[in-house]
Amino acid sequence: MTRPVQARLRLDESGQMAGIEAIPFGLLTFVVGVLIIANAWAVVDAKIAVSAAAREAVRAYVEAPAGGHPEDLADAAAREAIQGGGRNPGGLTLTQIEGSFARCETVRYEASYRIPAIRVPWLGGFGSGFTVTARHAEIVDPYRTGLPEAVSRCASG
């Protein structure tokens, strides 16, 4: 006794495609990969912003007017640079490593900013994260007027 063709097609599994479960796994892998790349870019972007903050802090310090407050100007310039990079200025840590406001002095600042380990758009950041740090140094102009001379630092000539 032979079965009708239509009944045989319903019971037969030939021609079925295996591996349909790979589509959700592939999408999950894609999403995780995009998050990893986005977080790597966030570290690079934060490094650029922190480098700019350290550079602007030193520049504002060495170019401050005589009789002014170079520390305050350096802090304001660094926070403005961080904010210009699209980051919260409250998260910036700025430290003067060396130097004083005198001719021929080398002034060095370190800027640090903490970023989350994983940042998901619209949800915020998660995890302990990374601290991005940058340093910059410049020399106060040896021919500036109105500043004391750091005798041990200036080249005699």
Side-chain angles (χ1 to χ4, degrees), residues 7 14 24 44 54-55 62 64 68 75 97 103 105-107 128 130 132:
S14 65
V44 170
R55 182 180 58 249
V62 300
D75 188 70
I97 297 174
R103 290 186 281 160
E105 280 286 325
T106 300
V107 177
S128 61
F130 308 97
V132 180

Side-chain angles (χ1 to χ4, degrees), residues 19-20 28 39 42 46-47 53-54 61 72 76 82 92-93 97-99 102 104-105 109-110 114 122 129 131 138 148:
I20 195 77
L28 181 64
N39 287 324
K47 180 68 173 179
Y61 189 96
D72 297 338
I82 278 288
L92 177 69
T93 304
I97 297 174
E98 70 173 288
C104 300
E105 280 286 325
Y109 267 90
E110 178 180 87
R114 188 136 184 97
W122 300 290
T131 300
E138 285 187 26

Side-chain angles (χ1 to χ4, degrees), residues 120-154:
V120 180
W122 300 290
L123 297 178
F126 303 101
S128 61
F130 308 97
T131 300
V132 180
T133 304
R135 292 186 181 117
H136 190 75
E138 285 187 26
I139 298 173
V140 179
D141 186 6
Y143 301 109
R144 292 249 339 240
T145 58
L147 296 181
E149 181 178 342
V151 177
S152 61
R153 304 269 177 155
C154 282

Side-chain angles (χ1 to χ4, degrees), residues 19-142:
I20 195 77
E21 66 276 357
I23 291 175
F25 181 72
L27 285 174
L28 181 64
T29 304
F30 176 74
V31 168
V32 169
V34 167
L35 284 175
I36 289 171
I37 291 170
N39 287 324
W41 177 250
V43 172
V44 170
D45 185 47
K47 180 68 173 179
I48 292 169
V50 169
S51 295
R55 182 180 58 249
E56 292 303 318
V58 171
R59 187 165 293 151
Y61 189 96
V62 300
E63 293 179 357
H69 299 284
E71 293 87 4
D72 297 338
L73 293 172
D75 188 70
R79 296 195 187 285
E80 187 177 321
I82 278 288
Q83 188 172 12
R87 305 227 169 246
N88 179 11
L92 177 69
T93 304
L94 188 66
T95 308
Q96 184 177 359
I97 297 174
E98 70 173 288
S100 63
F101 196 47
R103 290 186 281 160
C104 300
E105 280 286 325
T106 300
V107 177
R108 187 179 316 273
Y109 267 90
E110 178 180 87
S112 299
Y113 196 86
R114 188 136 184 97
I115 59 171
I118 297 175
R119 181 163 169 75
V120 180
W122 300 290
L123 297 178
F126 303 101
S128 61
F130 308 97
T131 300
V132 180
T133 304
R135 292 186 181 117
H136 190 75
E138 285 187 26
I139 298 173
V140 179
D141 186 6

